[in-house]
Every structure is written in C-alpha cells, then in structure tokens.
Amino acid sequence: MNKRIRFLILGIILLLFATGAAFGQETDTAKTLKLYSQAFDMIWLVLTAALVMFMQAGFAMVEAGLTRAKNAGNILMKNLLDFSVGVVAYWAVGWAIMYGADSLGLFGTNQFFLAGATSSTFRDWMFQVVFAATGATIASGAMAERTKFSAYLVYSVFITALIYPVSGHWIWASDGWLAKLGFHDFAGSTVVHSVGAWAGLAGAILIGPRKGKYIKVDGKTSVKAIPGHNIPLAALGVFILWFGWYGFNPGSTLSGTDLGIAHVAVTTTLAAGTGAIGAMVISWIWFGKPDPSMTMNGALAGLVAITAPCGVATPLGAVIIGLVAGLIVVASVELFDKVFKIDDPVGAVSVHGIAGVWGTLAVGLFGATSDHLGLFYGGGFHQLGVQALGVVAVFAWVFGISMLLFGVLKKVMGLRVSEQEEIQGLDIGEHGMESYPSFQIFQNQ
Amino acid sequence: MNKRIRFLILGIILLLFATGAAFGQETDTAKTLKLYSQAFDMIWLVLTAALVMFMQAGFAMVEAGLTRAKNAGNILMKNLLDFSVGVVAYWAVGWAIMYGADSLGLFGTNQFFLAGATSSTFRDWMFQVVFAATGATIASGAMAERTKFSAYLVYSVFITALIYPVSGHWIWASDGWLAKLGFHDFAGSTVVHSVGAWAGLAGAILIGPRKGKYIKVDGKTSVKAIPGHNIPLAALGVFILWFGWYGFNPGSTLSGTDLGIAHVAVTTTLAAGTGAIGAMVISWIWFGKPDPSMTMNGALAGLVAITAPCGVATPLGAVIIGLVAGLIVVASVELFDKVFKIDDPVGAVSVHGIAGVWGTLAVGLFGATSDHLGLFYGGGFHQLGVQALGVVAVFAWVFGISMLLFGVLKKVMGLRVSEQEEIQGLDIGEHGMESYPSFQIFQNQ
Amino acid sequence: MNKRIRFLILGIILLLFATGAAFGQETDTAKTLKLYSQAFDMIWLVLTAALVMFMQAGFAMVEAGLTRAKNAGNILMKNLLDFSVGVVAYWAVGWAIMYGADSLGLFGTNQFFLAGATSSTFRDWMFQVVFAATGATIASGAMAERTKFSAYLVYSVFITALIYPVSGHWIWASDGWLAKLGFHDFAGSTVVHSVGAWAGLAGAILIGPRKGKYIKVDGKTSVKAIPGHNIPLAALGVFILWFGWYGFNPGSTLSGTDLGIAHVAVTTTLAAGTGAIGAMVISWIWFGKPDPSMTMNGALAGLVAITAPCGVATPLGAVIIGLVAGLIVVASVELFDKVFKIDDPVGAVSVHGIAGVWGTLAVGLFGATSDHLGLFYGGGFHQLGVQALGVVAVFAWVFGISMLLFGVLKKVMGLRVSEQEEIQGLDIGEHGMESYPSFQIFQNQ
C-alpha cells in the first residue's frame, strides 16, 4: 500500500513538473505571439508608409506634366522640398501637435522632437509623416507656375508643423473633438486631401491667376486653356498615385493582422476605376471627346473620395462613390476655371477638395457597418450630419489660417514671382536652369 | 492514510485545473496562430497585388515610349481605361466566370458582383483582378497607333469579363479541365500573357498595319521601321515591369508562409537577366549593334517565359529559359514584322505570346520537382505533352473568340480611325489634345 | 480503499494523456511559430529586395536625366545590362566570394552557382544580389557619355563577381577581417555606395573628361557646365531611389521580426530630408539660386550617408548627418569638377563615395547604442578609428583593382568611343538609334 502511495506521489510530482514546464513554454509562446503581433504591424506600416511616400513622385509627375515646360524644374523642386522640409517640421513639431497629450480636444502638447519615442512611436510617426507630406504637397499644384519658391518653403513648414496637425488631431487623435463626435475619415479624404486643397485654394485666390489665363476683350473675360507640357509624365504620376494608394488606404487599418485589409483594397480599386470612367464619359459628352487630363483627374477623384469610406462602404457603394466623384470633378474643374475664375493649373482643389468633401459625406450615405450606418442603409441622418460638421470645421480652420498665412507672406516677402520671370519661366528665374536644355521649346508656352 | 489520500485527491484536482487552464490557453494560442496565418496571406497578397497593379504603369510607359509622340496620349488612355473598365467588369462578371462554382470544367457560374464575399474572397479577388488587367492591357500594344478608342473600350469589357476568365478557369480553378490534366502554369505565362497576346494578334491582323509601315515599290514590299519616340520612357517601363514581376511571380505562391517564395524570386531574376543578355547578343550579331528596344523586349521575354516554370525550374534552368526567350523574341519580332507582315508596334505578340508559349513548354522540359518532372530531368514527355495541349487549347479559344469579337466590332462600329486621323495622330483625332504641346515634334513622325 | 486508489491511478493516467496531448500540441505550436518566424524573414526580405531592385530604375532615370539626350539610350542600356549581367555573375561567382566559407578573413571559397542552396540561401541571395547590382551601376554615372558599351559590360562582370564581393566579405561576412574588428556599416555606405564610387572614380580618371568639358584658352582651363537634358526624369529617379531606400536600409535588419525596423526608416527619412535642405541652402548661398541638380544630389547624399549609421544614430543624429552630407556633396562636386578636373557627369563620386565616407565615419561620431558608441556619445575614438580603417582599406582595394581593370581594358579593347561618335552621340554610335527621334534636339547638345 505504502509503495502504491509513494508511486502515486511520485506520479503527481512528475506531473507537477510537466505541467510547470508546459506553463513555462506557454509563457514563451505568449511572448513570441506578442512579438509577432508587433512584427505584423511593424512591417505592414513601414511598407505601406513607403508606398505612401512614393506618392510624392506621383504628385511631382502629375504637377510637372500638367504645367508648362518652362516651370517644370520649379514645381519639382517644390515637391521635393515640401517633403524634405515637411519631414523635419513634422518631427520637431507636427507630430506633437497631432498626437501629443490632448488639450481640450483641439491639439496635442508633448512629444516634440519625438521625445520619449519607443519602437512603436517610430513606427507610427513613419506612417503619419508621409500623410502629412501628402497633404502639404497638394497646394503646390493649385499655386503652380507663379508662386515664389521661398514663400512656398515657408508655407511647407507651417502646413506640416501646425495647420495639418491641428485638424488631424481633431479627427485622428482619440481625444480629438471630432473623433469623439463619431466623425469617420478612414484614411484622410478630409484629414489629408481636403486640408491640402483648402490651403491651395487660399493660395490660388490670394496669388491670382497666371498671366494670360483670363484675358479681357471688349469687357468680356475669355478663359484660355493652358495645356500641360508632358502628358506621359502626368499619366505616369496617376499610375504611381494609384499604386501608392494601396499603402494609403489599406495601410490605414494601422494593423497588419486586420483581416479587413483586402476589403479596403477592393473598394479603393473599384472607386478609382469608376472615377476614371465617370470623368471620361462626362468629358466625352460635354467636350465631344474623352479628355485625358479630365479622365486622369477622375481616377484621382475616385481615389480621394473612397479614402474616407473605404472601410465602411460595400463594393457596390464604392462603384457609385467613385463614379459620382468622376462626374463631380469635371464639373468642379469647369466651375472653378470658368465661373469662379480661380486659376488652379492642375485641378487640385477639385480633385482633393471637392472630391474629398464628397467622399467624407459618402460615409454618411454609404456606410454599411453597424458603427457607421449611412442614410442609404437605414442609418438616418446622424452620421451624415457629423460628417458635414467635420467638413465645415476643417474648411473653416484650414482655409482661414491659410488665408492669414499667405496674406502675411504676401505682405512680408511677396507670394508671386515678377511678371518678367513668369513669362520667362520659373526655372530660369528661380533656379537659373532649364529643365529641357536640349529640346526646342515653343516660346509661347 | 485518509489524510494522504485526501492530499492526493487535492493534488489531482489542482492538476486538473492547471491542465484545463493550459488547454484554455492552448485554444487561444491556436486561434491566434490561425489569425496570423490569415494575416500572412492577407498582407502578402495585397502587397504583391499592388506590385502587379503597378505593372500597368510599366505597360503604359513601354507602349507610349515605343510608339510615336502623336499617339502617346491615346495609348495612355487605353492603358488607363482598360484597367478602369477591367476592374468593374471583373468584379461584375469576370471573377464569377473564372472562380465561381464549376460547370463541366469549362467556366464558373456564381459569385457575380462578388455575391457572398468574405475577407478571403476580397483578398483573392484583389490578387486576381490585377492579373486579369495585365492580360487585357497587352493587346493595346499590338494594336497601337490605329485602333479606335471606343472599340478598344468594348474589347476591354469582353476580355476581362469573358475571354480571360474562361481560359483562366480551365487552368487556375481547381475543377478546370486543364488543371485536372496536370497542366502547370504557376503565375500565368499562358493564363495571362499569351491570352493578351493572342487577342492582340487577332486585333492586329483584322485592323491591318499602320499607314506607311509596308510600302509596295515595283511590286516588292519594303518594310519601314517606325521607331518609338521616347526610349527613356520605354526603359522606365521595363524597370517598372521587372519590379512589378516580384509581385506577379512570388505572389503567385498565394501564401505568405510558403518558404518557396525566394526560389521563385531567384529564378525570376535570373531569367530576366539572361533574357536581356540573349536579346542583346543576338541583336548585336544580326544588326551589328546591341539594340535597346530588342534588349528591353528580351528582359520582358525572359520574365514572361519564367512565369510558368518559376516554381519548378532550378536557377540553372531559369538561366537557360531566359536566355532562349531572349533569342526567340528577337527572331519572332523579325518574323512577324518582315515575313508575316503583321504590324505589332511594340512586339507584344512576340514578347507575351511566343515567349509565353516557350515558358509554358519549358515546364515540361525544365521541371525539376517530383510533381512536375520535365523531359530534361527524366520525367519523359508526359508533362510536355500536357503543356503543349494547354497552349493549343488556349490559343484556339482566345484567338478564335477574339477574331469573332474584333470582326463584329469592325462591322458594327469600326475598329480603325480614319486615314486622316492616323496621319494627324490619334491624340488630336480621338482626344482633341497633344501630349507634348510645348515641344517641336517632327511631322513625319 | 482499493477503489479509491484505482480511481486515483485512473486520474493520473488521464492527466498523463492530457499533459502528453498538451505537449504534442506544444510541439506543433513550436513548429508553427518557427515557420512563422521564417515566413516573416522571407516576405520581409523578398519585398525589400524588390524595393532595392527598383532603385535600378532610379539610377537609370537620374543618370539619363542628368546627361545629354544624344546619350540617353546608351546610359539606359548600361543600367539595364549591368543589372542583367550582374545577377548572372553574382549567381555564378559573386555570392560564393562574398558569403562562401571564409578563407583568412579575405574572401569566401564555396557555394559557386548557389550549390547546396536551401530556401534561406535563396532568400539571402535575392536580398544580396540587388545590393551588388546597386554598387555596380553607380560607376556608369561617373563614366557617362564617353565609355564604350562593350568595355562597360566587362567591367560589370568583374565588379559583381569579384571586386564588390571581396570587400563585401570583409565587412558583411561574419568571418571578414573588418567585421571582426567591429567595423559597422549597417546597409552599405561603404560596402555598396563607396565601392561603386571608387570604381567609377578610377574609370573617370583613366577615360578622361568628355570632349568640350575642359577647354584651354590662353593657357587657362575654363570649365564648361554640361547640363542634363531632362530634369523631370532625374527628379523621378531621385524619388524612386528615396522610395527604394526603404528597402535598402530597413531591409538590412535582415529580419522581419526586428522591432528596430521603424527606427531605421525614421533616421533614413530625416537624413534624406536634411540632405536636400543642406544642398539647397549651400547652392543658394554659393550660386545665388537654389539649384535643382545639387538639391537632388543632396537628398541622395543624405540617403547614402545615413546608410551606415541608420540603426545606431538617433533622429537628431540623422538630422545632422544628412545636413552635413548635403553640404559636403555640393563642395565635393565643385572640388572634383573645378579643382581636380575629374569629369563625373552626374556627381556619382561625390554622392556615393564622399557622402559614403562621411556616413561610415558618422557611425564613429553619432553611434548612440552601447555596442557602437560614437565619439559624441562618450564612446571615445575607438569606433571612429575602426571606421576610418575600413574606409581606407576598401578604397585601396577597390580603387587599386579598378585602376588595374580599366587600365587593362583600355589597352586590350579600348575604354572610350571615338571622338566622332562622342560628338554624334553614343546612341547612334553604339546602338544605331536615337532616344527621341520625334523631337527637335539641339546639335550643340
């Protein structure tokens, strides 16, 4: 009997060890699983951030291609420098304003110069800085072919250090006042695209149209189309932007283990496609032929519009949102160009601002998830109302502060190059070079 | 004694709890491991799909660069729109035909408009749609500089909704009749590239050569070379395509935890390199100088050829497959251009069709894995025979239905622009614009 | 009593089974965790390798854009072929020399033709071959617009098969003599960039300046600036390179579960930005206007400089390293061009060589981790000394062997095209084509 009991005790002791070892292994497993979770987020966000960064090349090519040869080097320098200046400004100040400890739901207050950053801070900063730079670079298109390079540099600091981060805080920081109201902007139709567009709109208004754009003849103003000098470059830019958008939208899941990633990619793809189709069809009807510049802007408008609702719209919703964006963008370009007579050489305000508004409101119409149920899915007007409020608030902030900024710049250092420089081209005037010195370029261009 | 027994019972109960807890944790661990498995596939397929999507930019640049300046905007519009139209058509119909419930091994029959889609359906659709669009866009090169934009749009719908999905179903759907015979086409030498090429071949035959390409002088036909207008653009396109191919082939493992991914990347790299070398050497020998257009097409031919066997060929096999593809593509371009007198402005039929056939057959020659053992590795003629059957079947289907489609389009709406429009350029005729309005362009170009 | 005991024994047996099952599951879990660890590394390295491969497009566009239209096709062919030839040479020989079994810390001795490769060998080769090709392609810029295509091909074989792998072995193979001394070059400021630059420097010296670059008038040599023909192309190249660098540096963690990835991405971003700013400011001060070519080279210099210390420098350190690189590169370009009179058409020696030296030394100054503590962080002169030794050793090896190689090539087959060919352009002379046949190109260009 004693032997049996001793045998039993021995068995239990062995089992205790075995179970203990299993627990030890369990703890190791749990640690490894946590590391892997972090690794998924790390590689997902760094790779998608790289894709978003590449959109800078897309903007540069679109803007250079859709403007004149004599200003190509200047617009490229603006695109390169707003990013270069922007990353430093967003490191020193912008990130802190956007994601530092909240004050009143309005702005952040610490983490300047990434103080106290951990590996996950670096990861999140890397993903966010490329969005800030995207917002910043949009204005260069609206103000192209006449804005002083030095003034644009100052603007680049302010947009990435202050203007973009403040409204970004409202929406994307957990304590932001719009976030708390339930405003939903998945990847930044408003946070990124509209912000850049409203800044550009303020600049375009204050700086005035390009010389020769609006000519008064017998008391009537005739509007001259100034075609872009290199359509293949612009088309390349559109493809690059579309490509980069697979970082912009799917990356905005902010998690590499979110199984909703593909849904976002699908809605993004469909809206881009129908955006191009919509703009092509309407330009065909209105102008008699399918217009390449309009069609390209249609694809971009579809992408901008789906950026807010890409996570909550169905594929069918995305098809409609994109199609409408394509129609809207052509009408908007015509409206600004011919009715408002605001000279926006590449249509940036229409593509990023107006299509951005449409996409933001579309959340309140096409939202098909329980937490963001839009009007068309039985969710009533609540989400739509919140979306409209956010659109108005961000417009008021960005357009207001940008008017002030560009107004001060105009007084202090001048916003616009001299008339002679504008005629000769900003490449020679601002940079002492030509972009295509081997080629015969027409002078009237 | 009783005490001891009670102690023992207590011990066992404790152990039961402990083991139970361990099992509970086990279950959580198993769930997490399953999620991670899905996350690997999700981020792998979405990121590689983005790379494949970017190949659209590559095709656009290659085709624009290798044709004339006066038609650049038109070819870019075709490239942008076949993708835009293609994603909608593949969403509505194409996916269902290709991957819906099988009927007789010939085509799928449900999931139209992605009905019933889950997150893994979205993931798979995202990966597949960019392959469909790749197939679609290939024909634009073969039919460049003379095809009506409107007719090309109709073609784009049919190739992505019907033509590509049917033969795709045969090979890549598990119940497809060629799949069941053991036909192996890892990433689409035949499924994607040949399909686009055979459609383009049918179009090029029915539409006829460009004006001025073949001139009859004294009863003898002289063949005029019509050089591309922008070689840097074409070279950029080749680099973009090569880059995107790291999505195309490695992504076709369809799993982010497949450790064979790198093997695929290695064979892809080597074949592309030797494809360029092969074409360069043969053009040097035949034409006296190493020809850039031919060499670029050689790199692409190497990529197309390795696409089917990239998973089953050894690195040495890949070196040979690429080299032969480079040699073949130059011979094929010459053959179509000078002997068959079929005008294919960018050599699309040779690069994607002929090199695609070579690559598909190469599976039966260089297959070095037990399930796909090629002739040179002691596998006999079986695999080679199946590969040949697939090549013939896909050619018959795609070439046949495309002849019918383009034949009907020719009757109903016309395939070709007017002679005057062709001389003036399709940019002006089809789109009312110029791609390079600031530049001096030679009229005879 | 017996019943109780039997009950107890039954309990223990059940527990043994349960624990055994748990262990079995544990083993499965451990296997799965190991597979996932391998999968992280696999997808991380293949995707970042693809990004690095895409840098070939960046180099091609920068070099084509910054040289003349008449030589564009030639420089593109060199860029395409050094990669194509390079992947074959690195497969056959280069990898073995670099990572084969060590001999005396000087070079590797086995694994020729990837003999005995496993899936992890393929993965590592894929990541390494694109670095080798990056090193190789740098020289083409320094020797642009006058080097024979055939001679350049021979060079491409030697750099990827021998020159690059030997010094690479010293630093990146675990048994390399510099690695053992503690030399730290995270992603290749020296291993990759300086190697390409020193080879290019040797070539540029031996081949002499382009015709018309240095003109003697009255005993005094005047230096003629020969501007690049296509600045948008060059700018695109810079953006592509910056984008690709997110593969180059973060990928060099060599592990997809390294949580330091984002830190590397952040320092890379900041240094690129301040590099552009530094070069812009200094060119503005020196030349009166912010110069686009210099600014673009500044961004690249910042990227090259941060490549060695990106893992050990703080964000502030990166800001300074980049800024200094931007200042240095402008001074260096001027020095080589005006004082040393070594004609380097795209500034490759300054961007990749001089900024590479700066970045390598910066490890010894700004290193902020315990294992690589730089002078400014209290680490004394030790690390700095080791870094300097590595810089000198690699220069001696690469410059020496390249002088020998190009010297022999000059004797045996000639390095330089004929004077007539140089005037006419290498596109016509070497390749029998024009890059822009539709455009009016100025003859003096």
Side-chain angles (χ1 to χ4, degrees), chain A residues 337-359:
Chain A
D337 197 57
K338 304 220 165 75
V339 181
F340 296 160
K341 296 194 170 48
I342 295 169
D343 185 17
D344 174 1
V346 306
V349 173
S350 299
V351 169
H352 300 279
I354 304 304
V357 168
W358 160 240

Side-chain angles (χ1 to χ4, degrees), chain A residues 131-132 134-136 138 164 172 185 187-197 248:
Chain A
F131 282 71
T134 301
I138 288 165
Y164 171 90
W172 280 352
D185 183 5
S189 288
T190 282
V191 175
V192 181
H193 292 278
S194 290
V195 164
F248 209 91

Side-chain angles (χ1 to χ4, degrees), chain B residues 1-2 5 8-9 11-12 15-16 19 22-23 26-27 29-30 32-34 36-38 40 43-44 47-48 51 54 67-69 227-233 235-236 238-240 242-243 246 250 255-263 265-266 269-270 272-274 276-277 280 284 288-293 295-296 299 315-316 319 436 439-442 445, chain C residues 1 4-5 7-9 11-12 15 18-19 21-22 25-26 28-29 32-33 35-40 42-43 46-47 49-51 53-54 56-57 60-61 64 72-74 76-77 79-81 83-85 87-88 91 113-114 119 122-126 129-130 149-150 153 229-230 233 236 240 243 428-441:
Chain B
M1 203 68 135
N2 254 2
I5 297 285
L8 282 172
I9 289 170
I12 287 171
L15 274 169
L16 277 167
T19 315
F23 264 115
E26 270 306 306
T27 314
T29 298
T32 306
L33 289 176
K34 198 190 163 194
Y36 287 2
S37 171
Q38 292 169 312
F40 273 116
I43 65 175
W44 176 243
L47 287 171
T48 50
L51 285 174
F54 193 44
T67 54
R68 286 168 293 182
H229 84 285
N230 196 328
I231 297 304
L233 223 54
L236 174 64
V238 170
F239 281 116
I240 291 175
W242 192 329
F243 172 52
Y246 290 108
S255 161
T257 53
D258 186 328
L259 299 183
I261 286 171
H263 178 270
V266 170
T269 305
L270 289 170
T274 54
I277 294 169
M280 179 196 73
W284 210 329
K289 304 196 173 193
D291 183 71
S293 300
T295 306
M296 294 192 283
L316 180 62
V319 163
Y436 301 101
F439 294 87
Q440 172 72 44
I441 307 288
F442 291 135
Q445 279 291 330
Chain C
M1 202 71 134
R4 278 193 183 174
I5 296 286
F7 164 76
L8 281 171
I9 289 169
I12 286 171
L15 273 168
T19 314
Q25 216 169 325
E26 271 306 306
D28 286 353
T29 298
T32 306
L33 289 176
L35 172 69
Y36 286 2
S37 172
Q38 293 170 311
F40 274 117
M42 180 63 78
I43 66 175
V46 169
L47 287 171
L51 285 174
M53 178 269 145
F54 193 42
Q56 294 288 324
M61 294 303 111
N74 176 259
L76 293 164
M77 276 292 274
N79 274 278
L80 182 59
L81 265 297
F83 188 58
S84 298
V85 165
V87 298
V88 178
W91 162 68
F113 295 94
L114 285 179
S119 71
F122 285 132
R123 177 196 70 203
D124 294 344
W125 183 85
M126 189 64 232
V129 71
V130 288
F149 182 66
S150 53
L153 287 183
H229 84 285
N230 197 327
L233 222 55
L236 174 64
I240 290 175
F243 172 52
I428 291 172
E430 294 281 271
H431 307 290
M433 48 73 73
E434 289 176 85
S435 289
Y436 300 102
S438 305
F439 293 88
Q440 171 74 44
I441 307 289

Side-chain angles (χ1 to χ4, degrees), chain C residues 397-439:
Chain C
W397 158 249
V398 178
F399 186 74
I401 190 87
S402 298
M403 286 297 278
L404 183 68
L405 171 66
F406 286 123
V408 170
L409 287 179
K410 199 172 173 176
K411 283 264 175 185
V412 173
M413 63 193 297
L415 261 185
R416 188 165 184 141
V417 300
S418 72
E419 195 176 315
Q420 195 203 331
E421 193 179 317
E422 192 178 339
I423 294 168
Q424 201 182 20
L426 276 69
D427 282 7
I428 291 172
E430 294 281 271
H431 307 290
M433 48 73 73
E434 289 176 85
S435 289
Y436 300 102
S438 305
F439 293 88

Side-chain angles (χ1 to χ4, degrees), chain A residues 249 262-272 302 306 309-311 313-315 318-319, chain B residues 125:
Chain A
N249 286 3
H263 178 270
V264 171
V266 169
T267 51
T268 300
T269 305
L270 289 170
I306 200 64
C310 57
T314 64
V319 163
Chain B
W125 183 85

